[in-house]
Coordinates of all heavy atoms in Angstrom, one line a residue:
M271 N -51.4 -213.2 -151.0 CA -51.4 -211.9 -150.3 C -51.8 -210.8 -151.2 O -51.3 -210.7 -152.3 CB -50.0 -211.7 -149.6 CG -49.9 -210.5 -148.9 SD -48.4 -210.4 -147.8 CE -47.1 -210.6 -148.9
A272 N -52.6 -209.9 -150.8 CA -53.1 -208.8 -151.6 C -52.0 -207.7 -151.6 O -51.2 -207.6 -150.7 CB -54.4 -208.3 -151.0
D273 N -52.1 -206.9 -152.6 CA -51.2 -205.8 -152.7 C -51.3 -204.9 -151.5 O -52.4 -204.6 -151.0 CB -51.4 -204.9 -154.0 CG -51.0 -205.6 -155.2 OD1 -50.1 -206.6 -155.1 OD2 -51.4 -205.3 -156.3
G274 N -50.2 -204.4 -150.9 CA -50.2 -203.5 -149.8 C -50.3 -204.2 -148.4 O -50.3 -203.6 -147.4
E275 N -50.5 -205.5 -148.4 CA -50.6 -206.3 -147.1 C -49.2 -206.4 -146.6 O -48.2 -206.5 -147.3 CB -51.2 -207.7 -147.3 CG -52.7 -207.7 -147.3 CD -53.2 -209.1 -147.2 OE1 -52.7 -209.9 -146.5 OE2 -54.2 -209.4 -148.0
C276 N -49.2 -206.4 -145.3 CA -47.9 -206.5 -144.5 C -48.0 -207.7 -143.6 O -49.0 -207.8 -142.9 CB -47.6 -205.3 -143.8 SG -46.1 -205.3 -142.8
I277 N -47.0 -208.5 -143.6 CA -47.0 -209.7 -142.6 C -46.0 -209.3 -141.5 O -44.8 -209.0 -141.8 CB -46.6 -211.0 -143.3 CG1 -47.7 -211.4 -144.4 CG2 -46.4 -212.1 -142.3 CD1 -47.3 -212.6 -145.2
I278 N -46.4 -209.4 -140.3 CA -45.5 -209.1 -139.2 C -45.1 -210.4 -138.6 O -46.0 -211.2 -138.2 CB -46.2 -208.2 -138.1 CG1 -46.5 -206.9 -138.7 CG2 -45.3 -208.1 -136.9 CD1 -47.3 -205.9 -137.8
V279 N -43.8 -210.7 -138.5 CA -43.3 -211.9 -138.0 C -42.9 -211.7 -136.6 O -42.4 -210.6 -136.2 CB -42.1 -212.4 -138.8 CG1 -41.5 -213.6 -138.3 CG2 -42.5 -212.5 -140.3
A280 N -43.1 -212.7 -135.7 CA -42.8 -212.5 -134.3 C -41.3 -212.3 -134.2 O -40.5 -212.8 -134.9 CB -43.2 -213.8 -133.5
M281 N -40.9 -211.4 -133.2 CA -39.5 -211.1 -133.0 C -38.9 -212.3 -132.2 O -39.5 -212.9 -131.3 CB -39.4 -209.9 -132.1 CG -38.0 -209.5 -131.8 SD -37.9 -208.0 -130.7 CE -38.2 -206.7 -131.9
R282 N -37.7 -212.7 -132.6 CA -37.0 -213.7 -131.9 C -36.3 -213.1 -130.6 O -36.0 -211.9 -130.6 CB -35.9 -214.3 -132.8 CG -36.4 -215.0 -134.0 CD -35.2 -215.5 -134.9 NE -35.7 -216.1 -136.0 CZ -35.7 -217.4 -136.2 NH1 -35.2 -218.2 -135.3 NH2 -36.1 -218.0 -137.3
L283 N -36.2 -214.0 -129.6 CA -35.5 -213.5 -128.4 C -34.1 -213.0 -128.6 O -33.7 -212.0 -128.1 CB -35.5 -214.7 -127.4 CG -35.0 -214.3 -126.0 CD1 -35.7 -213.2 -125.4 CD2 -35.0 -215.5 -125.1
S284 N -33.4 -213.7 -129.6 CA -32.0 -213.2 -129.9 C -32.1 -211.8 -130.4 O -31.2 -211.0 -130.1 CB -31.3 -214.2 -130.8 OG -32.0 -214.3 -132.0
E285 N -33.0 -211.5 -131.3 CA -33.1 -210.1 -131.8 C -33.5 -209.1 -130.8 O -33.0 -208.0 -130.7 CB -34.2 -210.1 -133.0 CG -34.5 -208.8 -133.5 CD -33.3 -208.1 -134.3 OE1 -32.3 -208.8 -134.5 OE2 -33.5 -207.0 -134.7
F286 N -34.4 -209.5 -129.9 CA -34.8 -208.6 -128.8 C -33.6 -208.3 -127.9 O -33.3 -207.1 -127.6 CB -35.9 -209.3 -127.9 CG -36.3 -208.6 -126.7 CD1 -37.2 -207.5 -126.8 CD2 -35.8 -209.0 -125.5 CE1 -37.5 -206.8 -125.6 CE2 -36.2 -208.3 -124.3 CZ -37.1 -207.2 -124.4
R287 N -32.8 -209.3 -127.5 CA -31.6 -209.1 -126.7 C -30.6 -208.2 -127.4 O -29.9 -207.4 -126.8 CB -31.0 -210.4 -126.3 CG -31.9 -211.3 -125.5 CD -32.0 -210.9 -124.1 NE -32.7 -211.9 -123.3 CZ -33.5 -211.6 -122.3 NH1 -33.6 -210.3 -121.9 NH2 -34.1 -212.5 -121.6
R288 N -30.5 -208.4 -128.8 CA -29.5 -207.6 -129.6 C -29.9 -206.2 -129.5 O -29.1 -205.3 -129.4 CB -29.5 -208.2 -131.0 CG -28.4 -207.4 -131.9 CD -28.5 -207.9 -133.3 NE -29.7 -207.4 -134.0 CZ -29.9 -206.1 -134.4 NH1 -29.0 -205.2 -134.2 NH2 -31.0 -205.7 -135.0
L289 N -31.2 -205.9 -129.7 CA -31.7 -204.5 -129.6 C -31.5 -203.9 -128.3 O -31.0 -202.7 -128.2 CB -33.2 -204.5 -129.9 CG -33.6 -204.7 -131.4 CD1 -35.1 -204.9 -131.5 CD2 -33.1 -203.6 -132.3
V290 N -31.7 -204.6 -127.2 CA -31.5 -204.1 -125.8 C -30.0 -203.8 -125.6 O -29.7 -202.7 -125.2 CB -32.1 -205.1 -124.8 CG1 -31.6 -204.6 -123.4 CG2 -33.6 -205.2 -124.9
E291 N -29.2 -204.8 -126.0 CA -27.8 -204.6 -125.8 C -27.2 -203.5 -126.7 O -26.4 -202.7 -126.3 CB -27.0 -205.9 -126.0 CG -25.5 -205.8 -125.7 CD -24.8 -207.1 -125.9 OE1 -25.3 -208.1 -125.3 OE2 -23.8 -207.1 -126.5
G292 N -27.7 -203.4 -127.9 CA -27.2 -202.4 -128.8 C -27.6 -201.0 -128.4 O -26.8 -200.0 -128.6
E293 N -28.7 -200.8 -127.8 CA -29.2 -199.5 -127.3 C -28.5 -199.1 -126.0 O -28.1 -198.0 -125.8 CB -30.7 -199.4 -127.2 CG -31.2 -198.1 -126.7 CD -30.9 -196.9 -127.6 OE1 -30.8 -197.1 -128.9 OE2 -30.7 -195.8 -127.1
F294 N -28.4 -200.1 -125.1 CA -28.0 -199.7 -123.7 C -26.7 -200.3 -123.3 O -26.2 -199.9 -122.2 CB -29.1 -200.3 -122.7 CG -30.5 -199.7 -122.9 CD1 -31.4 -200.4 -123.6 CD2 -30.8 -198.4 -122.5 CE1 -32.7 -199.9 -123.8 CE2 -32.0 -197.9 -122.7 CZ -33.0 -198.6 -123.4
G295 N -26.1 -201.1 -124.1 CA -24.8 -201.7 -123.8 C -25.0 -203.0 -123.0 O -26.1 -203.2 -122.4
P296 N -24.0 -203.9 -122.9 CA -24.2 -205.2 -122.3 C -24.5 -205.1 -120.8 O -25.4 -205.8 -120.3 CB -22.9 -205.9 -122.5 CG -22.0 -205.0 -123.1 CD -22.7 -203.8 -123.5
M297 N -23.9 -204.2 -120.1 CA -24.1 -204.2 -118.6 C -25.4 -203.5 -118.3 O -26.2 -204.1 -117.5 CB -22.9 -203.4 -117.9 CG -21.6 -204.0 -118.1 SD -21.5 -205.7 -117.3 CE -21.4 -205.2 -115.6
K298 N -25.7 -202.4 -118.8 CA -27.0 -201.7 -118.5 C -28.1 -202.5 -119.1 O -29.2 -202.5 -118.5 CB -27.0 -200.3 -119.1 CG -28.2 -199.5 -118.6 CD -28.1 -198.0 -119.0 CE -29.4 -197.3 -118.5 NZ -29.4 -195.9 -119.0
G299 N -27.9 -203.1 -120.3 CA -29.0 -203.9 -120.8 C -29.4 -205.1 -119.9 O -30.6 -205.4 -119.7
E300 N -28.4 -205.7 -119.3 CA -28.6 -206.8 -118.4 C -29.3 -206.3 -117.2 O -30.3 -206.9 -116.7 CB -27.3 -207.5 -118.0 CG -27.5 -208.8 -117.2 CD -26.2 -209.5 -116.9 OE1 -25.3 -209.4 -117.8 OE2 -26.0 -210.0 -115.8
W301 N -28.9 -205.2 -116.6 CA -29.5 -204.6 -115.5 C -31.0 -204.3 -115.8 O -31.9 -204.6 -115.0 CB -28.8 -203.3 -115.0 CG -29.6 -202.6 -114.0 CD1 -29.6 -202.8 -112.7 CD2 -30.5 -201.5 -114.3 NE1 -30.5 -201.9 -112.1 CE2 -31.0 -201.1 -113.1 CE3 -30.9 -200.9 -115.5 CZ2 -32.0 -200.1 -113.0 CZ3 -31.8 -199.9 -115.4 CH2 -32.4 -199.5 -114.1
L302 N -31.2 -203.6 -116.9 CA -32.5 -203.2 -117.3 C -33.5 -204.4 -117.4 O -34.6 -204.4 -116.9 CB -32.5 -202.5 -118.7 CG -33.7 -202.0 -119.3 CD1 -33.4 -200.8 -120.1 CD2 -34.4 -203.1 -120.2
A303 N -33.0 -205.5 -117.9 CA -33.8 -206.7 -118.1 C -34.3 -207.3 -116.8 O -35.4 -207.8 -116.6 CB -33.1 -207.8 -118.9
H304 N -33.4 -207.3 -115.8 CA -33.8 -207.9 -114.5 C -34.3 -206.9 -113.5 O -34.9 -207.3 -112.5 CB -32.7 -208.8 -113.9 CG -31.6 -208.1 -113.3 ND1 -31.6 -207.5 -112.1 CD2 -30.3 -207.8 -113.8 CE1 -30.4 -207.0 -111.8 NE2 -29.6 -207.1 -112.8
S305 N -34.1 -205.6 -113.7 CA -34.5 -204.6 -112.6 C -35.6 -203.6 -113.0 O -36.4 -203.2 -112.2 CB -33.3 -203.8 -112.3 OG -32.3 -204.6 -111.7
H306 N -35.7 -203.3 -114.3 CA -36.6 -202.2 -114.7 C -38.1 -202.8 -114.8 O -38.3 -203.8 -115.5 CB -36.3 -201.6 -116.1 CG -37.2 -200.6 -116.5 ND1 -37.4 -199.4 -115.9 CD2 -38.1 -200.7 -117.6 CE1 -38.4 -198.7 -116.6 NE2 -38.8 -199.5 -117.6
V307 N -39.0 -202.2 -114.0 CA -40.4 -202.5 -114.1 C -41.0 -201.7 -115.2 O -41.0 -200.5 -115.2 CB -41.1 -202.3 -112.8 CG1 -42.6 -202.6 -112.9 CG2 -40.5 -203.1 -111.7
L308 N -41.6 -202.4 -116.2 CA -42.2 -201.8 -117.4 C -43.4 -201.0 -117.0 O -44.3 -201.5 -116.4 CB -42.5 -202.8 -118.4 CG -41.3 -203.5 -119.1 CD1 -41.6 -204.8 -119.7 CD2 -40.6 -202.6 -120.1
G309 N -43.5 -199.8 -117.5 CA -44.7 -199.0 -117.3 C -45.9 -199.6 -117.9 O -45.9 -200.2 -119.0
G310 N -46.9 -199.7 -117.1 CA -48.2 -200.2 -117.5 C -48.3 -201.7 -117.4 O -49.4 -202.3 -117.4
L311 N -47.2 -202.4 -117.1 CA -47.3 -203.9 -117.0 C -47.0 -204.3 -115.5 O -47.5 -205.4 -115.1 CB -46.2 -204.6 -117.9 CG -46.5 -204.5 -119.3 CD1 -45.4 -205.3 -120.1 CD2 -47.8 -205.1 -119.7
G312 N -46.2 -203.5 -114.8 CA -46.0 -203.9 -113.4 C -45.1 -205.1 -113.1 O -45.0 -205.6 -112.1
V313 N -44.3 -205.5 -114.2 CA -43.4 -206.6 -114.1 C -42.1 -206.1 -114.7 O -42.0 -205.2 -115.5 CB -43.9 -207.9 -114.7 CG1 -45.1 -208.4 -114.0 CG2 -44.1 -207.7 -116.2
T314 N -41.0 -206.8 -114.4 CA -39.7 -206.5 -115.0 C -39.7 -207.1 -116.5 O -40.6 -207.9 -116.8 CB -38.5 -207.2 -114.3 OG1 -38.6 -208.6 -114.4 CG2 -38.5 -206.7 -112.8
V315 N -38.7 -206.7 -117.2 CA -38.6 -207.1 -118.6 C -38.4 -208.6 -118.6 O -39.1 -209.3 -119.4 CB -37.4 -206.5 -119.3 CG1 -37.1 -207.0 -120.7 CG2 -37.6 -204.9 -119.4
N316 N -37.6 -209.2 -117.8 CA -37.4 -210.6 -117.8 C -38.6 -211.4 -117.4 O -38.9 -212.4 -118.0 CB -36.2 -211.0 -116.8 CG -34.9 -210.8 -117.4 OD1 -34.7 -210.6 -118.6 ND2 -33.8 -210.8 -116.5
E317 N -39.4 -210.9 -116.4 CA -40.7 -211.5 -116.0 C -41.6 -211.5 -117.2 O -42.3 -212.5 -117.4 CB -41.3 -210.8 -114.8 CG -40.5 -211.0 -113.6 CD -40.9 -210.1 -112.4 OE1 -41.4 -209.0 -112.7 OE2 -40.7 -210.5 -111.3
A318 N -41.7 -210.4 -117.9 CA -42.6 -210.3 -119.1 C -42.2 -211.3 -120.2 O -43.0 -211.9 -120.8 CB -42.6 -208.9 -119.6
V319 N -40.9 -211.4 -120.4 CA -40.4 -212.4 -121.4 C -40.7 -213.8 -121.0 O -41.2 -214.6 -121.8 CB -38.8 -212.2 -121.6 CG1 -38.3 -213.4 -122.4 CG2 -38.5 -210.9 -122.3
E320 N -40.5 -214.1 -119.7 CA -40.8 -215.5 -119.2 C -42.2 -215.8 -119.3 O -42.6 -217.0 -119.5 CB -40.3 -215.6 -117.7 CG -38.8 -215.6 -117.6 CD -38.3 -215.6 -116.2 OE1 -39.1 -215.9 -115.3 OE2 -37.1 -215.4 -116.0
R321 N -43.1 -214.9 -119.1 CA -44.6 -215.2 -119.2 C -45.1 -215.2 -120.6 O -46.3 -215.5 -120.9 CB -45.4 -214.3 -118.3 CG -45.5 -212.9 -118.7 CD -46.3 -212.1 -117.7 NE -46.6 -210.8 -118.3 CZ -47.3 -209.8 -117.6 NH1 -47.7 -210.1 -116.4 NH2 -47.5 -208.7 -118.2
G322 N -44.2 -214.9 -121.6 CA -44.6 -215.0 -123.0 C -45.2 -213.7 -123.6 O -45.8 -213.8 -124.7
D323 N -44.9 -212.6 -123.0 CA -45.4 -211.3 -123.7 C -44.7 -211.1 -125.0 O -43.6 -211.6 -125.3 CB -45.1 -210.1 -122.8 CG -46.0 -210.1 -121.5 OD1 -46.6 -211.1 -121.1 OD2 -46.1 -209.0 -120.9
D324 N -45.4 -210.5 -125.9 CA -44.9 -210.2 -127.2 C -43.6 -209.3 -127.2 O -43.6 -208.3 -126.6 CB -46.0 -209.5 -128.1 CG -45.5 -209.2 -129.5 OD1 -45.7 -210.1 -130.3 OD2 -44.9 -208.1 -129.7
L325 N -42.6 -209.8 -127.7 CA -41.3 -209.2 -127.6 C -41.2 -207.8 -128.3 O -40.6 -206.9 -127.9 CB -40.2 -210.1 -128.2 CG -40.0 -211.4 -127.4 CD1 -38.9 -212.3 -128.1 CD2 -39.6 -211.1 -126.0
R326 N -42.0 -207.7 -129.4 CA -42.0 -206.4 -130.1 C -42.7 -205.3 -129.2 O -42.3 -204.2 -129.1 CB -42.8 -206.4 -131.4 CG -42.0 -207.1 -132.5 CD -42.8 -207.0 -133.9 NE -42.2 -207.9 -134.8 CZ -41.1 -207.7 -135.5 NH1 -40.4 -206.6 -135.3 NH2 -40.7 -208.5 -136.4
E327 N -43.8 -205.7 -128.5 CA -44.5 -204.8 -127.6 C -43.6 -204.5 -126.4 O -43.6 -203.3 -126.0 CB -45.8 -205.4 -127.2 CG -46.8 -205.5 -128.3 CD -48.1 -206.2 -127.9 OE1 -48.4 -206.3 -126.6 OE2 -48.8 -206.6 -128.7
L328 N -42.8 -205.5 -125.9 CA -41.9 -205.2 -124.8 C -40.8 -204.2 -125.3 O -40.5 -203.2 -124.5 CB -41.3 -206.5 -124.3 CG -42.2 -207.5 -123.7 CD1 -41.4 -208.7 -123.2 CD2 -42.9 -206.9 -122.5
W329 N -40.3 -204.4 -126.5 CA -39.3 -203.4 -127.0 C -39.9 -202.0 -127.1 O -39.2 -201.1 -126.7 CB -38.7 -203.9 -128.3 CG -37.7 -203.0 -128.9 CD1 -37.8 -202.3 -130.1 CD2 -36.5 -202.5 -128.3 NE1 -36.8 -201.5 -130.3 CE2 -35.9 -201.6 -129.2 CE3 -35.8 -202.8 -127.1 CZ2 -34.7 -200.9 -129.0 CZ3 -34.6 -202.1 -126.9 CH2 -34.1 -201.2 -127.8
D330 N -41.1 -201.9 -127.6 CA -41.7 -200.6 -127.7 C -41.9 -200.0 -126.4 O -41.7 -198.8 -126.2 CB -43.1 -200.8 -128.4 CG -43.0 -201.0 -129.9 OD1 -41.9 -200.7 -130.5 OD2 -44.0 -201.5 -130.5
R331 N -42.3 -200.8 -125.3 CA -42.5 -200.2 -124.0 C -41.1 -199.7 -123.4 O -41.1 -198.7 -122.8 CB -43.1 -201.2 -123.1 CG -44.5 -201.5 -123.3 CD -45.1 -202.4 -122.3 NE -46.5 -202.6 -122.5 CZ -47.5 -201.9 -122.0 NH1 -47.2 -200.9 -121.2 NH2 -48.7 -202.1 -122.2
I332 N -40.1 -200.5 -123.7 CA -38.7 -200.1 -123.2 C -38.3 -198.8 -123.9 O -37.9 -197.9 -123.2 CB -37.7 -201.2 -123.5 CG1 -37.9 -202.4 -122.6 CG2 -36.3 -200.7 -123.3 CD1 -37.1 -203.7 -123.1
C333 N -38.6 -198.7 -125.2 CA -38.2 -197.5 -125.9 C -39.0 -196.3 -125.3 O -38.5 -195.2 -125.2 CB -38.5 -197.7 -127.4 SG -37.4 -198.8 -128.2
L334 N -40.3 -196.5 -125.0 CA -41.1 -195.4 -124.4 C -40.6 -195.0 -123.1 O -40.4 -193.8 -122.7 CB -42.5 -195.8 -124.4 CG -43.3 -195.9 -125.7 CD1 -44.7 -196.5 -125.5 CD2 -43.3 -194.5 -126.4
D335 N -40.3 -196.0 -122.2 CA -39.9 -195.8 -120.8 C -38.5 -195.0 -120.8 O -38.3 -194.2 -119.9 CB -39.7 -197.1 -120.1 CG -41.1 -197.7 -119.7 OD1 -42.1 -197.1 -120.0 OD2 -41.0 -198.8 -119.1
F336 N -37.7 -195.3 -121.8 CA -36.3 -194.7 -121.8 C -36.1 -193.6 -122.9 O -35.0 -193.2 -123.2 CB -35.3 -195.8 -121.9 CG -35.1 -196.6 -120.6 CD1 -35.9 -197.7 -120.5 CD2 -34.3 -196.2 -119.6 CE1 -35.8 -198.5 -119.3 CE2 -34.2 -196.9 -118.5 CZ -34.9 -198.1 -118.3
D337 N -37.2 -193.2 -123.5 CA -37.2 -192.1 -124.5 C -36.2 -192.4 -125.6 O -35.4 -191.6 -126.1 CB -36.9 -190.8 -123.9 CG -38.0 -190.3 -122.9 OD1 -39.2 -190.5 -123.2 OD2 -37.6 -189.8 -121.8
V338 N -36.2 -193.7 -126.1 CA -35.3 -194.0 -127.3 C -35.9 -193.4 -128.5 O -37.1 -193.6 -128.8 CB -35.2 -195.6 -127.4 CG1 -34.5 -195.9 -128.7 CG2 -34.6 -196.2 -126.2
P339 N -35.1 -192.6 -129.2 CA -35.7 -191.9 -130.4 C -36.1 -192.9 -131.5 O -35.5 -194.0 -131.6 CB -34.5 -191.1 -130.9 CG -33.5 -191.0 -129.8 CD -33.7 -192.2 -129.0
E340 N -37.1 -192.5 -132.2 CA -37.7 -193.4 -133.3 C -36.6 -193.9 -134.2 O -36.6 -195.1 -134.6 CB -38.7 -192.6 -134.1 CG -40.0 -192.3 -133.4 CD -40.9 -193.5 -133.4 OE1 -40.8 -194.4 -134.2 OE2 -41.7 -193.6 -132.4
E341 N -35.6 -193.1 -134.6 CA -34.6 -193.5 -135.5 C -33.7 -194.6 -135.0 O -32.9 -195.2 -135.8 CB -33.8 -192.3 -136.1 CG -33.0 -191.6 -135.0 CD -33.8 -190.4 -134.4 OE1 -35.0 -190.3 -134.6 OE2 -33.2 -189.6 -133.6
R342 N -33.7 -194.8 -133.7 CA -32.8 -195.9 -133.1 C -33.6 -197.1 -132.7 O -33.0 -198.1 -132.2 CB -32.1 -195.3 -131.9 CG -31.1 -194.3 -132.3 CD -30.0 -194.1 -131.3 NE -30.3 -194.2 -129.9 CZ -30.3 -193.1 -129.0 NH1 -29.9 -192.0 -129.4 NH2 -30.6 -193.3 -127.8
R343 N -34.9 -197.2 -132.9 CA -35.7 -198.3 -132.4 C -35.6 -199.5 -133.2 O -36.0 -200.6 -132.8 CB -37.2 -197.8 -132.3 CG -37.3 -196.8 -131.2 CD -38.7 -196.4 -131.0 NE -38.8 -195.4 -130.0 CZ -39.9 -194.9 -129.4 NH1 -41.1 -195.5 -129.8 NH2 -39.9 -194.0 -128.5
L344 N -35.0 -199.5 -134.4 CA -34.8 -200.7 -135.2 C -33.4 -201.2 -135.0 O -33.0 -202.2 -135.7 CB -35.1 -200.4 -136.7 CG -36.5 -200.0 -137.0 CD1 -36.7 -199.7 -138.5 CD2 -37.5 -201.2 -136.6
G345 N -32.6 -200.6 -134.2 CA -31.2 -201.1 -134.0 C -30.3 -200.4 -134.9 O -30.6 -199.7 -135.8
A346 N -29.0 -200.7 -134.7 CA -27.9 -200.1 -135.5 C -27.9 -200.8 -136.8 O -28.1 -202.0 -136.9 CB -26.6 -200.2 -134.8
D347 N -27.5 -200.1 -137.9 CA -27.3 -200.7 -139.2 C -25.9 -201.4 -139.1 O -24.9 -200.8 -138.7 CB -27.2 -199.6 -140.2 CG -28.6 -198.9 -140.5 OD1 -29.6 -199.6 -140.2 OD2 -28.6 -197.8 -140.9
D348 N -25.9 -202.6 -139.5 CA -24.7 -203.4 -139.5 C -23.9 -203.2 -140.8 O -24.3 -202.9 -141.8 CB -25.0 -204.9 -139.3 CG -25.6 -205.2 -137.9 OD1 -25.2 -204.4 -137.0 OD2 -26.4 -206.1 -137.8

């Protein structure tokens, strides 16, 4: 790998769910996953996950749809 190169690893489903729950809480996060139709995709979060959409892109769309501030998009510091 050359200096300055960055490797992006696919997000795991468990990490995606952790981010959703961490931002919205368990109840609202569950509701969001099965009810919210993502802007520009026309499907719910769960439908997009089931069809294999990139989880990082889905998380970015959720953040945009719900105006999640940049500083919270990586989740809470543990």
